[in-house]
Amino acid sequence: MAGRYDKNPFDEEEEEVNPFADTTARGKASGQSKFGGGLFSTSTASVPPASNSRLSPLPPEPAGFSYEREATVDIPLDTASGGSRNQDLKKKEKELQAKEAELRRREQEVRRKEEAVARAGVVLEEKNWPPFFPIIHHDIANEIPIHLQRLQYVAFSTYLGLVLCLLWNIIAVTTAWIKGEGVRIWFLAIIFFIAGVPGAYVLWYRPLYRAFRNESALRFGWFFLFYLLHIAFCIFAAVAPPIVFRGKSLTYVP
């Protein structure tokens, strides 16, 4: 019976160890323990220093992130071309500054002239008539006093009538030339038109316009003198005496 309860011959002889006993005291008593105490061990076993270990510790890395070192590539810069480009930019900047200064100087000069003209009382006239091809300045509604605008419109209508009559004279003389009257009367009609239209504007219509605008007595006198000459010419053309090419060069008045 005693043989049934014999110990296992392959088991090592172990000393019964109380897991809750003080390992430090037991360690001192036994000299050296074979086990570290397992899960419930509270022993403070000495750890050999890191200098005695064969492998050096790895540097700590943050969890969840991996960093890779990228090789840096040195790209040489073309300093020569960069310097020339900078010089070109500076040159263009200086040219733009010079042009800007020149424009500013011209603008100041024009403004100075305008102020001098305004102080002298000279009115700058902008060409605005006829609308499709402005060649003269004409603005009765804004420059002529209200009580004189009616007379100015009558004078303007007279001037336009003269232009139409001289144009009709060219058409009539051209018809006569086709019928065999000769080319000399046609050339004379052209001369009447070329000289009469601007002549009437300069000699009597514009003086009347400026006289009404500035109420100048001198300009009124100039207007009356040349307007009388204009009336005399119209009477001569209406009678058409046989003096100049038998009166056939002035046929615009029936």
Side-chain angles (χ1 to χ4, degrees), residues 71-77:
T72 58
V73 180
D74 295 334
I75 302 175
L77 299 177

PDB file of all heavy atoms in Angstrom, residues 71-77:
ATOM      1  N   ALA A  71      16.102  61.167 -48.552  1.00  0.00           N
ATOM      2  CA  ALA A  71      17.409  61.708 -48.921  1.00  0.00           C
ATOM      3  C   ALA A  71      17.237  63.086 -49.534  1.00  0.00           C
ATOM      4  O   ALA A  71      16.397  63.299 -50.407  1.00  0.00           O
ATOM      5  CB  ALA A  71      18.099  60.764 -49.911  1.00  0.00           C
ATOM      6  N   THR A  72      17.979  64.038 -49.067  1.00  0.00           N
ATOM      7  CA  THR A  72      17.926  65.398 -49.586  1.00  0.00           C
ATOM      8  C   THR A  72      18.825  65.515 -50.794  1.00  0.00           C
ATOM      9  O   THR A  72      19.934  64.974 -50.814  1.00  0.00           O
ATOM     10  CB  THR A  72      18.375  66.388 -48.516  1.00  0.00           C
ATOM     11  OG1 THR A  72      19.698  66.038 -48.097  1.00  0.00           O
ATOM     12  CG2 THR A  72      17.430  66.347 -47.314  1.00  0.00           C
ATOM     13  N   VAL A  73      18.297  66.216 -51.823  1.00  0.00           N
ATOM     14  CA  VAL A  73      19.034  66.388 -53.071  1.00  0.00           C
ATOM     15  C   VAL A  73      19.358  67.846 -53.212  1.00  0.00           C
ATOM     16  O   VAL A  73      18.460  68.705 -53.164  1.00  0.00           O
ATOM     17  CB  VAL A  73      18.212  65.898 -54.287  1.00  0.00           C
ATOM     18  CG1 VAL A  73      19.011  66.102 -55.570  1.00  0.00           C
ATOM     19  CG2 VAL A  73      17.837  64.444 -54.097  1.00  0.00           C
ATOM     20  N   ASP A  74      20.574  68.171 -53.361  1.00  0.00           N
ATOM     21  CA  ASP A  74      21.013  69.549 -53.562  1.00  0.00           C
ATOM     22  C   ASP A  74      20.939  69.880 -55.036  1.00  0.00           C
ATOM     23  O   ASP A  74      21.592  69.241 -55.870  1.00  0.00           O
ATOM     24  CB  ASP A  74      22.442  69.732 -53.046  1.00  0.00           C
ATOM     25  CG  ASP A  74      22.521  69.536 -51.535  1.00  0.00           C
ATOM     26  OD1 ASP A  74      21.477  69.754 -50.881  1.00  0.00           O
ATOM     27  OD2 ASP A  74      23.597  69.161 -51.038  1.00  0.00           O
ATOM     28  N   ILE A  75      20.095  70.897 -55.381  1.00  0.00           N
ATOM     29  CA  ILE A  75      19.938  71.332 -56.771  1.00  0.00           C
ATOM     30  C   ILE A  75      20.744  72.604 -56.952  1.00  0.00           C
ATOM     31  O   ILE A  75      20.443  73.629 -56.323  1.00  0.00           O
ATOM     32  CB  ILE A  75      18.463  71.585 -57.113  1.00  0.00           C
ATOM     33  CG1 ILE A  75      17.654  70.300 -56.873  1.00  0.00           C
ATOM     34  CG2 ILE A  75      18.317  72.079 -58.544  1.00  0.00           C
ATOM     35  CD1 ILE A  75      16.169  70.490 -57.077  1.00  0.00           C
ATOM     36  N   PRO A  76      21.719  72.600 -57.769  1.00  0.00           N
ATOM     37  CA  PRO A  76      22.523  73.810 -57.950  1.00  0.00           C
ATOM     38  C   PRO A  76      21.721  74.877 -58.691  1.00  0.00           C
ATOM     39  O   PRO A  76      21.002  74.598 -59.639  1.00  0.00           O
ATOM     40  CB  PRO A  76      23.714  73.322 -58.782  1.00  0.00           C
ATOM     41  CG  PRO A  76      23.205  72.119 -59.495  1.00  0.00           C
ATOM     42  CD  PRO A  76      22.215  71.469 -58.559  1.00  0.00           C
ATOM     43  N   LEU A  77      21.786  76.093 -58.214  1.00  0.00           N
ATOM     44  CA  LEU A  77      21.097  77.224 -58.836  1.00  0.00           C
ATOM     45  C   LEU A  77      22.038  77.928 -59.785  1.00  0.00           C
ATOM     46  O   LEU A  77      23.225  78.110 -59.502  1.00  0.00           O
ATOM     47  CB  LEU A  77      20.612  78.205 -57.765  1.00  0.00           C
ATOM     48  CG  LEU A  77      19.607  77.629 -56.756  1.00  0.00           C
ATOM     49  CD1 LEU A  77      19.278  78.671 -55.717  1.00  0.00           C
ATOM     50  CD2 LEU A  77      18.344  77.164 -57.470  1.00  0.00           C
TER      51      LEU A  77
END
